[in-house]
Amino acid sequence: MTTYDISLLVGDGIGPELSDCVERVLHEIHDRSSCIRFTIGKVEAGDNALKNFGKALPDETFEKIKESQACLKSPVGESAADVVLVLRRYFDLYANVRPSKNYANIDSISTNVDLITVRENTEDLYLGWEFLSDEDTAISLRKISRFASQRIAKHAFEVAMKRDRKKVTIVHKSNVLRISDRLFIEASREISKQYPEVEFEEMYVDACAMELIRRPTRFDTILTTNLFGDIISDEAAQVTGSIGLAPAANIGEKFAMFEPVHGAAFDIAGKNIANPTSFILALKMMFDWLGQKYNDRKLINQASKVEKVIDDLFKANVKTKDIGGKFSTIEFNQILMNNLNEIGYE
Ligand code: ATP
C-alpha cells in the first residue's frame, strides 16, 4: 500500500469546479483501490487568494505544496504569473509536456493524431530580460544554454522511448537564430546519439506550424524551446479538438505540477458547464509520473484506466456541452466515476 501526498491548488474562474471533480475522483480511487492511497492538501492561490490573503501565492499554500509529492493545479486568473512562474522556478520544472490526441466523436480538423510536445520551460525569451535602449526601441534577450537544452532533449527522448513510434522532431529556427538555436540543435543531436532506437528529424518552426495543420499525423514527439513550444502546443491542442481536453505537465527532477492547458474561463465560471476532461487527463499524467518515479506499476495501470474511461465516454457520445454533448460538469464527472467503478480499481 502506497500513500501519495498530493497538493490540489484550487485557483479561479472554473478552477474550483474542476478541482471538485478531480478531488472526487481521487477520493473514489483512495476509497476503493486495494493499494493506492492519497492525502489531499487543498490550497488556494490566484486572484481569490490575493483578495482573501493579500498574496496570490500565500505562504501556507506554498508550504503545503512543498510538503507534497506532486501538485494538481487548476487554472488561475489574472495573477497566474505570480503563481505559476514562482512554482516553476522554485521547483525547477524544466519540462513542459503536453499531449494532443484525437478522441472519438470530438469535432476536429484531424484524425488519428497522437503527439506530445516537450517544451523547455526555464529559459528563452521568457526570462523577461527586456529593456528600452531608447524610448522607441525595445530589446529582448534570449538565453539558450547547453545545460538546459541537453536536459530537455534527454527528457524528450525518454518520452519518445516509451511511445510506440519512437520519433522526435526537433523544432527550431536556426536559419535566423544562428547562435542560440544552433546551440539548441547541437545539444539535441548530441543527446540523440544516446537513443539509436529513436528516429530523429529537424524542422523549422514555421514549417512545423504548417505541417501541424496539413499532416499532423507525421508528428510523434516534438522537442522545442520555450516560446515556440508555447505556440506550437496551443496549435496542436486546437488541431485535435477542444482546449477543454488538453492537459499539461510541468516536470522537474524531484517535483511535478499537472494542470489543464486552458485558463480560468471566467465567462463560464459557476455555471456547471465547464469540461473537466483536461484536468482529469492531467490527473492521469500525474499518476503516470508518480508511478514511474516510485516504480508503482499499479498507479501506472490506474492512469491507463482513467484514460480508457474518458475514451469510452467519448465513444458513447457522453460529453459536456462545450464539445457538443448534453451533460453538465457534475453529471459528466459522475458518469466518469461510475464507469471507473465498473472497470474496477487497482
Ligand atoms: P487565459 O487568458 O489564461 O488563456 P482564458 O480563460 O481567457 O484564459 P482560455 O482558457 O484559453 O482563455 O479559454 C478560452 C475560452 O474557452 C474560455 O473563455 C471558455 O469559454 C472556453 N473554455 C476554456 N476551458 C474550458 C473548459 N474546461 N470547458 C469548457 N470551455 C472552456
Side-chain angles (χ1 to χ4, degrees):
M1 183 93 68
T2 314
T3 302
Y4 295 98
D5 295 323
I6 308 301
S7 48
L8 175 59
L9 189 157
V10 173
D12 305 309
I14 58 174
E17 292 163 78
L18 300 194
S19 300
D20 280 349
C21 291
V22 161
E23 191 181 9
R24 292 183 67 202
V25 174
L26 275 171
H27 277 305
E28 199 76 357
I29 297 170
H30 172 93
D31 290 344
R32 294 174 185 264
S33 162
S34 61
C35 53
I36 306 167
R37 295 285 179 274
F38 303 105
T39 62
I40 305 166
K42 219 169 164 181
V43 291
E44 277 187 58
D47 302 356
N48 288 331
L50 184 60
K51 221 181 317 158
N52 297 337
F53 309 107
K55 254 180 158 181
L57 185 63
D59 297 344
E60 198 188 329
T61 296
F62 203 2
E63 287 310 313
K64 276 206 173 146
I65 295 175
K66 284 183 205 165
E67 285 161 16
S68 66
Q69 288 164 285
C71 178
L72 285 162
K73 184 204 138 283
S74 64
V76 169
E78 294 299 313
S79 53
D82 295 331
V83 177
V84 182
L85 294 188
V86 175
L87 293 174
R88 275 187 195 159
R89 280 195 191 136
Y90 179 83
F91 292 108
D92 194 18
L93 305 177
Y94 65 87
N96 189 288
V97 179
R98 291 188 182 186
S100 308
K101 199 172 155 178
N102 279 122
Y103 289 96
N105 294 317
I106 305 292
D107 267 355
S108 75
I109 61 167
S110 63
T111 50
N112 301 322
V113 175
D114 182 0
L115 65 86
I116 193 155
T117 311
V118 179
R119 159 188 167 196
E120 206 289 322
N121 221 9
T122 65
E123 46 185 36
D124 198 349
L125 289 168
Y126 283 56
L127 286 171
W129 291 346
E130 295 195 307
F131 59 93
L132 290 170
S133 64
D134 63 55
E135 64 183 27
D136 297 316
T137 313
I139 312 272
S140 288
L141 295 175
R142 181 176 200 241
K143 176 186 174 189
I144 300 289
S145 71
R146 192 174 303 279
F147 166 75
S149 302
Q150 286 184 336
R151 183 165 73 160
I152 196 66
K154 195 161 181 48
H155 194 91
F157 277 90
E158 288 292 331
V159 166
M161 280 293 284
K162 294 190 189 91
R163 293 167 62 83
D164 293 339
R165 279 174 70 192
K166 297 191 175 30
K167 176 181 176 186
V168 170
T169 306
I170 172 176
V171 172
H172 62 96
K173 190 69 183 168
S174 69
N175 52 341
V176 177
L177 302 167
R178 291 193 189 168
I179 298 179
S180 55
D181 262 5
R182 277 198 191 155
L183 192 150
F184 185 69
I185 291 181
E186 263 173 40
S188 304
R189 283 183 193 149
E190 201 55 41
I191 295 294
S192 75
K193 291 182 194 146
Q194 298 167 20
Y195 297 87
E197 308 91 324
V198 179
E199 186 189 337
F200 176 54
E201 65 173 0
E202 297 170 11
M203 190 181 286
Y204 291 132
V205 65
D206 40 352
C208 175
M210 286 193 290
E211 283 292 277
L212 267 175
I213 306 286
R214 208 170 66 94
R215 203 156 58 93
T217 49
R218 65 168 290 152
F219 295 107
D220 179 50
T221 304
I222 294 176
L223 159 63
T224 192
T225 48
N226 205 343
L227 175 61
F228 297 157
D230 192 3
I231 299 164
I232 289 294
S233 58
D234 267 18
E235 187 187 351
Q238 280 305 329
V239 165
T240 48
S242 157
I243 194 131
L245 307 180
N250 296 275
I251 296 177
E253 293 298 344
K254 296 193 178 127
F255 191 79
M257 184 169 78
F258 302 84
E259 61 185 345
V261 163
H262 57 75
F266 288 102
D267 54 329
I268 57 165
K271 295 183 178 162
N272 192 21
I273 55 173
N275 188 346
T277 306
S278 49
F279 210 9
I280 303 284
L281 287 173
L283 178 74
K284 180 247 172 217
M285 291 183 86
M286 184 186 79
F287 288 171
D288 272 329
W289 181 78
L290 283 170
Q292 275 157 28
K293 185 167 177 359
Y294 295 100
N295 210 3
D296 183 346
R297 194 68 241 166
K298 303 273 186 189
L299 196 57
I300 294 172
N301 292 345
Q302 191 60 55
S304 304
K305 286 184 174 179
V306 170
E307 190 170 33
K308 180 178 170 11
V309 163
I310 301 247
D311 258 334
D312 290 348
L313 288 181
F314 292 157
K315 277 184 192 144
N317 244 319
V318 175
K319 299 185 289 190
T320 44
K321 291 179 184 145
D322 58 305
I323 47 175
K326 60 177 184 184
F327 295 100
S328 69
T329 309
I330 293 173
E331 285 165 345
F332 179 82
N333 204 54
Q334 187 56 54
I335 301 170
L336 185 146
M337 289 194 300
N338 295 346
N339 287 19
L340 258 185
N341 278 333
E342 262 169 41
I343 64 172
Y345 300 90
E346 288 299 308

